[in-house]
Amino acid sequence: MTAPVFTRTHASLGEFALRPVDPAGDAELLHGWVTHPKAVYWMMQDADLAAVEKEFARIDADPYHDAFLGLHNGVPAFLMERYDPAHREVTEVHEAAPGDVGMHFLTAPTDTPVHGFTLAVITTVMDMLFAEPGNQRVVVEPAVQNTAVHALNKAVGFEIVRTVTLPKGEAYLSTCTRGQFLAARGENPC
């Protein structure tokens, strides 16, 4: 198993860590996540195990796209994808600036939700992205209907730039600068 490349501890929830996805080794786990009804916006509802493995192998081979498995206290609990918006996802609707980085995240389905968990996940993801000094702004494009993620995005500092049409449908192109993220956390961005 690959070692984590990023780790954060949240006071009341414990340790959150991210490691690169192993397309073959993680395919079965990820198949259960991305085909779950909760993951409808990942558009893989009908994917079989081979298709999920193939998709993550494609991401693994792409120099502009990465996938990370998130661990909560050592147990797989979320997925994060990082991409270069100058080359992937939003090239037709967003003029990427130097320092832009794109992101998607998904928490694992659960029958026992933990209060504050998903906020801790997105905060960990943003911490990881902004740990890279060159990353100055995070770009996301969640589906307009995904109200839960819009609330989370707002909580960590994202602003909706505009509604855009992507192959997956209508989405809110949203951005969050390092300063906006720090301000949302109550930290001085200067």
Side-chain angles (χ1 to χ4, degrees):
M1 182 176 285
T2 307
V5 295
F6 186 82
T7 303
R8 278 290 184 265
T9 300
H10 292 270
S12 62
L13 295 173
E15 183 181 88
F16 289 77
L18 291 113
R19 66 157 175 84
V21 163
D22 173 357
D26 295 327
E28 188 171 345
L29 172 72
L30 295 176
H31 177 262
W33 293 2
V34 299
T35 59
H36 189 275
K38 176 186 172 193
V40 66
Y41 300 112
W42 284 67
M43 300 178 62
M44 296 187 77
Q45 299 292 281
D46 297 323
D48 62 13
L49 182 60
V52 171
E53 183 176 344
K54 183 178 179 180
E55 175 63 8
F56 284 97
R58 181 194 64 76
I59 291 169
D60 188 51
D62 188 330
Y64 302 109
H65 201 161
D66 302 296
F68 298 89
L69 187 70
L71 310 171
H72 176 236
N73 295 324
V75 177
F78 62 101
L79 171 66
M80 189 266 278
E81 290 182 14
R82 173 182 67 191
Y83 67 89
D84 182 341
H87 297 277
R88 295 290 174 268
E89 307 295 328
V90 295
T91 56
E92 300 296 319
V93 296
H94 173 71
E95 187 172 333
D100 279 0
V101 61
M103 175 272 289
H104 303 132
F105 82 100
L106 174 70
T107 55
T110 182
D111 293 329
T112 54
V114 174
H115 180 73
F117 181 79
T118 308
L119 182 59
V121 166
I122 193 172
T123 300
T124 300
V125 165
M126 297 292 283
D127 281 339
M128 179 182 167
L129 294 173
F130 284 130
E132 291 291 324
N135 292 342
Q136 296 300 313
R137 182 171 67 169
V138 179
V139 178
V140 295
E141 73 302 332
V144 168
Q145 305 88 345
N146 193 347
T147 56
V149 85
H150 301 312
L152 286 166
N153 285 349
K154 185 176 180 180
V156 296
F158 278 94
E159 286 185 348
I160 295 172
V161 176
R162 68 181 177 282
T163 303
V164 296
T165 301
L166 298 173
K168 65 182 180 181
E170 296 291 304
Y172 287 141
L173 179 67
S174 305
T175 61
C176 180
T177 65
R178 183 184 300 272
Q180 288 170 311
F181 176 59
L182 292 174
R185 293 175 68 159
E187 297 178 29
N188 185 348
C190 297

